[in-house]
Amino acid sequence: MNGDNQVTQQTCDFIVVGGGSAGCVITHRLIKAGHSVLMLEAGPDDNSKFVKIPATFVRVIGTERSWVYETEPQPHANGRKMYVPQGRTNGGGSSINAMLYIRGTAEDYNEWEKAGCVGWGWQDVLPVFKRSERNMRFSGEHHGTEGPLRVSDTKYRHPLSLAFLKSAQEIGLKYNDDFNGATQEGIGFYQTTTIDGSRGSTAATYLAEVKASPKLTLVNGAHVLRIITVDGAATGVEYRRDNGQTVTATARREVILTAGTLSTPKLLQVSGIGPAALLKQIGVPVVKDLPGVGENFHDHLEVIAHGKCREPISLLGQDKGLTALKHGVQWELFKTGLLTSNVVESGGFVDTLGTGRPDIQFHVLPVLVGDVDRPMPEIHGISIDPCFLRPKSRGKVQARSANAMDPARFDGGFLAEQEDVDTLVRGLKLARRILRAPSMNKIISEELYPSPKADLSDQELIAFVRQYAKTVYHPVGTCKMGMDPMAVVDSQLRVHGVRNLRVCDASVMPTLISGNTNAPTIMIAERCADFILA
């Protein structure tokens, strides 16, 4: 049910701040267990056609259903400001992402455990991944078939995506049919969080199951101003609705922050929970001095390799005129055709250093892509974009003032560590080899970026990386889990030193997992519900 327009005070068992990937999961589990939940989401409902159609997610980024966070100028990226879009609607990132279902590797979680996140090793998280998953094709040791989250193969496969797979095999990369199976390494088609040709976000799956429950109060257009604490315990929140009305909400049990890596730390800071020096600087009374709040930011960056098509076969222009109308009718009537594509249909994971663990992921798009500040080129082509998996560079997120509505100061720290640049250079060299392999050569006339010239020096490639690297929208780490002095939450996601307050989103990841972050965020929310209900 929706929140009453006239209410200025509310009381329930749990308050969930943020209706994104994690918020929908934890709300679902708490409601199913019989608790009353107030879920607060700053953005509108997810009822846009562009959210539901897989191929049109790029139409949502930059609208009211997304936040586009802007960094400070990045000194190691030629002084550029960089942009990190995040979901701002029911389902959050799972409503605007490219729907890739990737868990990462066993080593990722075993490293969390070694770093002090007790009970977060691979043997602990795999059963939770399986429990949440309903896979259309895989079962057994690595996969689940009964969970709320639908995981399927895309119905449509573009010829450029197929050409990439053949060319990658021609330069010696092996084919992998399941990146979430026994091994991650290899190239292939991604499985996606889609349902019969439509997006299967956590809003369309988890939240949809409980949306009609009288135990749920869902408020869209709710901007949380602060967490209310009394004697070192969270008791509720204060939020402002789109109509300007301020509401005080009280939680009988707990407040759970699921606002995301870039919003959760700012909300903690303006509520007096964070580095004491920063809190004093912005004029906020210190509730709990936690130096790690807003630190340890990191993200996946990728760099573009573009090839020009010999024939006009890419996705360019498919969203215009009668062609777009035809695709729209086909999707509307049959849920088939090009619009069922998640666009990033193929890709894979490569170990460029021979360590036995991939360090590069490829996202391949049958169209040339730009960035938030750089329009898509009007040329038919393919994008083969290598991304590093385990960045060394770290940034930070800091509130600028005591006002939660002010954008945070956001320094990504991108490319500060040379190792990150070197990894992208190795990925770029591989992408350029794939662009020149026989199957690709049949349909690609030349490389556009980095250069039609076959021989580029490492220095030229490094310069290209610093000018063109962009985020893959996987920010994590700003409220990291652990027991060290910079940890913000413990192994049960409870905020250190503040009772009845948990953080449950990608900000708790101490280090990035090797791949897309949506499936791990859903797993974290499933576990958070387990901890609360236990």
Side-chain angles (χ1 to χ4, degrees):
M1 76 181 197
N2 286 328
D4 177 359
N5 280 333
Q6 301 313 309
V7 171
T8 54
Q9 291 201 310
Q10 291 169 309
T11 303
C12 58
D13 295 336
F14 294 93
I15 298 172
V16 175
V17 178
S21 293
C24 289
V25 172
I26 202 157
T27 296
H28 165 104
R29 293 296 184 196
L30 294 175
I31 296 275
K32 288 273 189 184
H35 298 289
S36 60
V37 177
L38 168 64
M39 185 166 93
L40 303 171
E41 167 54 45
D45 203 330
D46 61 321
N47 55 6
S48 158
K49 192 61 69 69
F50 293 140
V51 168
K52 292 183 170 33
I53 299 173
T56 56
F57 67 90
V58 289
R59 292 278 192 96
V60 185
I61 295 171
T63 69
E64 61 173 354
R65 287 184 171 81
S66 69
W67 302 101
V68 179
Y69 293 91
E70 183 182 282
T71 67
E72 302 289 299
Q74 296 294 285
H76 303 283
N78 292 356
R80 292 182 291 137
K81 288 184 174 182
M82 291 167 76
Y83 300 89
V84 184
Q86 296 284 276
R88 184 182 180 268
T89 184
N90 298 347
S94 70
S95 289
I96 72 166
N97 67 1
M99 294 148 278
L100 273 59
Y101 182 78
I102 296 289
R103 297 170 178 172
T105 65
E107 296 98 318
D108 296 332
Y109 301 97
N110 292 338
E111 282 178 2
W112 288 8
E113 187 162 54
K114 283 187 200 125
C117 305
V118 180
W120 286 85
W122 182 241
Q123 75 283 357
D124 304 299
V125 302
L126 177 60
V128 185
F129 276 120
K130 288 173 67 174
R131 181 181 78 198
S132 69
E133 179 190 22
R134 188 183 306 182
N135 200 299
M136 72 171 275
R137 185 158 61 93
F138 294 119
S139 188
E141 185 187 347
H142 299 287
H143 290 282
T145 57
E146 303 293 322
L149 189 71
R150 304 284 283 274
V151 178
S152 64
D153 304 327
T154 51
K155 288 181 163 190
Y156 179 90
R157 289 176 170 177
H158 195 281
L160 285 167
S161 305
L162 288 158
F164 161 78
L165 292 187
K166 288 185 277 195
S167 290
Q169 290 174 82
E170 286 157 9
I171 70 156
L173 303 182
K174 65 176 187 181
Y175 183 79
N176 186 349
D177 199 34
D178 180 13
F179 298 127
N180 301 298
T183 177
Q184 188 189 54
E185 192 178 354
I187 47 89
F189 285 106
Y190 289 114
Q191 280 205 303
T192 58
T193 48
T194 50
I195 307 168
D196 301 328
S198 295
R199 177 185 291 275
S201 67
T202 58
T205 52
Y206 284 90
L207 184 62
E209 274 191 45
V210 297
K211 212 169 178 183
S213 169
K215 294 204 171 283
L216 173 62
T217 304
L218 166 59
V219 185
N220 287 95
H223 304 271
V224 177
L225 304 175
R226 67 187 180 101
I227 303 150
I228 300 165
T229 52
V230 177
D231 298 330
T235 59
V237 301
E238 186 178 280
Y239 69 93
R240 183 181 300 151
R241 305 191 59 154
D242 278 346
N243 62 10
Q245 177 192 37
T246 299
V247 183
T248 302
T250 302
R252 284 185 285 263
R253 299 278 300 272
E254 293 189 24
V255 175
I256 304 145
L257 300 187
T258 59
T261 296
L262 292 161
S263 285
T264 289
K266 181 181 76 170
L267 185 54
L268 285 169
Q269 290 164 1
V270 300
S271 306
I273 302 160
L278 171 69
L279 303 186
K280 286 173 186 147
Q281 189 187 318
I282 61 173
V284 173
V286 178
V287 171
K288 175 65 184 173
D289 177 14
L290 273 183
V293 174
E295 299 291 322
N296 190 46
F297 170 88
H298 51 300
D299 192 359
H300 286 140
L301 295 190
E302 68 181 8
V303 68
I304 55 171
H306 283 170
K308 182 181 179 184
C309 291
R310 296 184 186 278
E311 304 290 335
I313 60 168
S314 79
L315 295 183
L316 180 67
Q318 295 294 321
D319 58 347
K320 306 263 190 319
L322 286 174
T323 310
L325 188 66
K326 183 194 82 171
H327 292 315
V329 169
Q330 183 176 0
W331 183 84
E332 217 45 89
L333 294 180
F334 307 110
K335 297 294 183 286
T336 59
L338 186 143
L339 291 184
T340 64
S341 169
N342 70 320
V343 185
V344 191
E345 298 164 354
S346 67
F349 298 85
V350 186
D351 170 13
T352 65
L353 288 175
T355 62
R357 188 177 177 193
D359 56 338
I360 281 286
Q361 179 179 6
F362 282 112
H363 295 101
V364 179
L365 297 88
V367 67
L368 299 184
V369 289
D371 197 5
V372 173
D373 59 336
R374 196 171 64 237
M376 194 183 288
E378 293 288 314
I379 298 169
H380 282 275
I382 185 171
S383 302
I384 302 177
D385 300 344
C387 144
F388 55 52
L389 287 175
R390 287 177 298 281
K392 296 289 184 282
S393 306
R394 294 293 184 269
K396 62 176 67 175
V397 177
Q398 295 179 317
R400 283 179 201 271
S401 75
N403 182 358
M405 303 299 276
D406 283 351
R409 184 177 285 108
F410 168 31
D411 174 11
F414 293 133
L415 304 179
E417 298 291 335
Q418 183 63 34
E419 197 177 315
D420 292 348
V421 178
D422 294 343
T423 305
L424 286 178
V425 167
R426 292 194 302 275
L428 207 45
K429 287 178 176 176
L430 260 181
R432 301 186 77 217
R433 283 178 61 203
I434 293 168
L435 275 172
R436 288 167 172 77
S439 289
M440 200 59 86
N441 199 31
K442 286 179 191 159
I443 53 177
I444 297 298
S445 61
E446 64 173 341
E447 179 183 302
L448 294 168
Y449 287 104
S451 168
K453 243 177 24 178
D455 295 321
L456 290 182
S457 68
D458 280 8
Q459 286 315 115
E460 286 173 297
L461 291 173
I462 287 169
F464 184 80
V465 165
R466 293 204 185 275
Q467 182 56 38
Y468 287 101
K470 63 182 274 295
T471 171
V472 192
Y473 321 144
H474 300 157
V476 308
T478 52
C479 296
K480 77 166 186 168
M481 174 174 29
M483 298 310 292
D484 62 275
M486 294 303 282
V488 175
V489 298
D490 67 12
S491 292
Q492 296 213 342
L493 309 182
R494 296 172 294 211
V495 174
H496 288 301
V498 185
R499 299 188 310 282
N500 304 338
L501 180 63
R502 291 189 211 237
V503 175
C504 171
D505 54 34
S507 72
V508 305
M509 295 186 192
T511 49
L512 252 170
I513 59 101
S514 307
N516 309 73
T517 47
N518 195 53
T521 301
I522 291 167
M523 177 276 291
I524 288 166
E526 286 273 15
R527 298 211 71 203
C528 187
D530 289 348
F531 300 144
I532 292 168
L533 296 173

